[in-house]
Amino acid sequence: MRSFIALQSTTGVDLSANWTHQDSDDTFNLGADWYVTKSWSVGLGYTDDGHDDTFVLKTAYWLRLSDSFSANFELARELDSDADGVFIGLGLTGRF
């Protein structure tokens, strides 16, 4: 489930929630991304798989290269976790 709430002072907030069931395991995901501009977001995420729960702080930037292609960059850090380090994501999206 996903919902976008438009704001007057900034672009808006993207809220998401989903549940998956696989091999008698349930996973719940919640997320909120605040779009400071149309291209840049700052967000929080939460995942609970029944064995462990994880909080994530992230930021992402979308760069429009043309009408058909966009690049995106993401940095994320797990909070209060044994995991050490920062996740760095790079992506390319094509629209045809």
Side-chain angles (χ1 to χ4, degrees):
M1 180 170 56
R2 195 167 200 157
S3 180
F4 185 80
I5 302 168
L7 302 175
Q8 290 182 351
S9 59
T10 61
T11 303
V13 177
D14 184 21
L15 302 172
S16 62
N18 73 21
W19 164 75
T20 55
H21 176 80
Q22 181 178 356
D23 298 332
S24 72
D25 290 328
D26 294 319
T27 301
F28 299 95
N29 295 300
L30 299 173
D33 292 308
W34 170 44
Y35 279 83
V36 181
T37 68
K38 289 183 178 182
S39 299
W40 177 44
S41 68
V42 177
L44 291 171
Y46 172 74
T47 300
D48 184 357
D49 64 4
H51 306 289
D52 193 18
D53 58 347
T54 305
F55 291 92
V56 175
L57 177 64
K58 60 185 176 176
T59 186
Y61 189 82
W62 286 84
L63 178 62
R64 184 176 174 180
L65 302 173
S66 69
D67 287 343
S68 299
F69 293 99
S70 295
N72 87 319
F73 311 92
E74 181 179 349
L75 293 173
R77 172 81 166 109
E78 287 188 15
L79 305 175
D80 69 357
S81 172
D82 293 335
D84 192 20
V86 174
F87 168 80
I88 300 173
L90 302 171
L92 183 65
T93 302
R95 296 173 194 87
F96 301 99

